[in-house]
Amino acid sequence: MTAPHHSGPARHEARPGTGDTDAGPVPEGEDHDLLAALLDGMDAALCAFDAEGTVTHWNREAERILGWSAEEAVGREGLTGWAVREADAAAVSARLVDAMQGNGRQVDEFALLTKDGGRVLVRTQTSAVPGTDGRPAGVYCAFSEVHTQIDLERSVALSEALFGDASWGVLLIDADLRPALANAHAARALRSSRSGLLGRPLGDLLDQGLEDVESALQHVLATGAPPAPTELWVTVRGGTDGGADGRGAGAPERRCWRSGFLRLATPLAEEPVPLGVAWLFLDVTKARLAEQESARLRFRGSQLHRAGRAVAECEDPMEAAALYMDFALAGFADHALIDLLPDPGPDPEHPIRLLRAAATPAGAGVSGTASVRGGLPVPYRDGHPALQAVERCGSVRAVSDRTRDWAATRKWPAGTQHALSTALRSRGRTVGVVTFLRGPSRRPFDRADATYAEDIATRVAAAVDLAAVTAAAG
């Protein structure tokens, strides 16, 4: 911090015995009071010298660091013998002279003496004070303790590093919950540019998960940072300006961000005043999805193991087939249907007919258990997913088009939004089809779900085939 330039270094009134010299006019009245207030309010220590090297100014921060009061410092000839050791005096004086004769500010480090005889290493900024004729009329020296300066520089360096290309995303959110600063990683994660983020509402950047983010930010502003990082699932909206990585606009993507929050408050106020929140986050989506998939596979494997042990106690093969479906529904689907062919292996010359053999859970708005042979066909229309699965000897997925009668026209329970039909294959023949149904609260079936359904279908098909063989033998 530097003192304001004026025609010459103004000084406190001369006192007897202080070696006062003719250093220029002494400011009086309001101007003198204003100058004294400005100097004493500075965060940096400041002393000033006239052209002869006499101390003309000494503010309160200088008194705090060195212990010498303004009354003791102003009017002394230089710093030698009281604020600087004799051994260091020549070097310090040379630097002050160089600063007076040079242009611009000079930065140096040297040791000063405190009033109690200690030494303190300071970093100084010195600059000449020009007179009315343009020639040097004095020099001022602003200084602070080196460790304080180093702490400041470290803080600035840390900020620059975080807002550079750090591996964590860093967003500075103001008190209105709008981004005020962002690093490159955060811009890429939000599918925008660094400048494109600034000042925009978070609702323009995030879709799902926005309420959780805003709630976390408001909590930090009100009470401070949480004790540990938290994981937030958010859906990022498509970019509007091409994005920092050139991906441009795209479909929203769901991400898991491991987030830490820090409340920022100004150190210049008597009471802490929130300036905003520093939001640091790291994308851990791949790891969390892998963990979820692993847990899902373990659970499904456990369900199949339990189903196998329960089925081993069933005397009726069709009861065993329905039991497999009951175990399979847990965490997988809301409803399951088993439809069988009257005769295994459909004749391509004739339309496919399917008979309802089982539905679980009971009372779900679909017809219940029927015999393996006989019964009326389920009136599926052409192109029904179950009929397609039989024709392809594989799996068919379907998603609602949001029309009111979408489920009803396919003979499924009301509210069905997602379906997965898988052919039942045994001994090289198609014996029927199993259909799993999900409501609107669940996600659509994916390829991993189809693989699990096919695993279940092999067990159900074996039970159904055994039931047919048993019925024929009886």
Side-chain angles (χ1 to χ4, degrees):
M1 185 176 293
T2 59
H5 285 185
H6 44 80
S7 59
R11 55 189 175 88
H12 293 274
E13 293 182 0
R15 293 173 178 80
T18 60
D20 186 24
T21 62
D22 187 11
V26 177
E28 298 178 354
E30 295 181 358
D31 290 343
H32 179 270
D33 294 339
L34 175 60
L35 179 59
L38 288 173
L39 295 180
D40 285 339
M42 292 173 60
D43 293 328
L46 183 135
C47 62
F49 307 86
D50 61 16
E52 286 73 32
T54 300
V55 178
T56 60
H57 292 83
W58 192 267
N59 71 352
R60 289 182 180 176
E61 185 65 11
E63 179 179 346
R64 185 192 69 79
I65 294 176
L66 298 180
W68 300 98
S69 65
E71 289 75 11
E72 295 171 309
V74 172
R76 288 179 179 266
E77 293 289 341
L79 302 175
T80 304
W82 61 283
V84 174
R85 292 193 314 168
E86 294 287 347
D88 300 329
V92 173
S93 299
R95 291 172 185 173
L96 294 176
V97 171
D98 290 343
M100 188 182 302
Q101 297 175 350
N103 295 322
R105 291 183 298 174
Q106 295 186 13
V107 178
D108 295 294
E109 289 184 5
F110 47 78
L112 296 180
L113 288 176
T114 61
K115 187 176 181 179
D116 59 8
R119 300 180 70 198
V120 58
L121 184 64
V122 299
R123 180 169 297 178
T124 66
Q125 296 184 40
T126 52
S127 181
V129 179
T132 56
D133 56 0
R135 291 183 299 177
V139 63
Y140 73 82
C141 176
F143 62 92
S144 60
E145 297 172 87
V146 165
H147 71 83
T148 302
Q149 186 71 18
I150 291 177
D151 288 343
L152 174 61
E153 292 178 1
R154 285 196 184 114
S155 298
V156 174
L158 175 62
S159 299
E160 292 295 328
L162 288 176
F163 285 101
D165 197 10
S167 58
W168 280 69
V170 183
L171 273 176
L172 181 59
I173 307 295
D174 64 20
D176 295 326
L177 304 188
R178 294 172 182 259
L181 198 60
N183 71 348
H185 186 106
R188 287 193 298 268
L190 291 167
R191 306 181 68 176
S192 181
S193 63
R194 294 180 65 177
S195 60
L197 293 174
L198 307 186
R200 294 173 60 186
L202 291 176
D204 290 350
L205 307 171
L206 302 175
D207 189 3
Q208 297 178 3
L210 174 63
E211 292 183 358
D212 293 336
V213 172
E214 290 184 337
S215 176
L217 294 173
Q218 289 170 350
H219 172 79
V220 174
L221 284 172
T223 64
T230 184
E231 292 183 358
L232 299 172
W233 282 92
V234 299
T235 300
V236 181
R237 295 186 183 275
T240 58
D241 56 0
D245 55 1
R247 287 183 297 178
E253 49 184 335
R254 186 164 171 78
R255 315 300 298 174
C256 181
W257 289 346
R258 184 169 178 81
S259 302
F261 300 93
L262 296 171
R263 181 169 64 174
L264 305 179
T266 175
L268 303 180
E270 294 183 2
E271 296 293 333
V273 177
L275 295 176
V277 177
W279 178 15
L280 291 79
F281 63 87
L282 183 66
D283 194 321
V284 294
T285 307
K286 290 184 179 180
R288 294 299 169 264
L289 290 179
E291 291 175 0
Q292 291 177 5
E293 182 63 20
S294 178
R296 183 161 52 242
L297 290 176
R298 287 196 302 270
F299 175 76
R300 290 176 177 178
S302 174
Q303 286 296 99
L304 289 177
H305 173 73
R306 295 175 59 203
R309 292 177 61 87
V311 164
E313 305 300 323
C314 293
E315 295 183 2
D316 182 1
M318 282 306 298
E319 181 183 352
L323 193 58
Y324 270 123
M325 305 303 292
D326 287 334
F327 276 94
L329 281 184
F332 183 67
D334 298 320
H335 306 287
L337 312 173
I338 299 177
D339 300 321
L340 303 180
L341 290 166
D343 297 303
D347 185 351
E349 300 296 330
H350 296 85
I352 298 174
R353 294 189 308 154
L354 292 172
L355 308 179
R356 178 62 45 78
T360 187
V366 292
S367 57
T369 302
S371 61
V372 179
R373 295 288 182 264
L376 296 176
V378 183
Y380 289 147
R381 296 182 180 180
D382 292 341
H384 192 282
L387 301 180
Q388 293 183 44
V390 172
E391 292 173 351
R392 301 176 185 178
C393 298
S395 298
V396 175
R397 286 174 278 171
V399 179
S400 171
D401 58 7
R402 303 296 181 180
T403 56
R404 179 174 298 181
D405 59 348
W406 184 83
T409 57
R410 289 160 178 77
K411 307 304 177 183
W412 290 333
T416 297
Q417 295 290 324
H418 314 292
L420 171 61
S421 295
T422 301
L424 298 174
R425 299 280 295 174
S426 178
R427 295 189 293 164
R429 302 172 303 165
T430 300
V431 298
V433 61
V434 60
T435 301
F436 296 97
L437 306 174
R438 287 177 175 173
S441 62
R442 294 179 179 265
R443 60 177 177 80
F445 291 97
D446 57 21
R447 182 55 199 161
D449 294 328
T451 301
Y452 180 57
E454 291 165 359
D455 198 7
I456 298 168
T458 58
R459 291 165 167 78
V460 174
V464 169
D465 198 14
L466 178 59
V469 172
T470 302

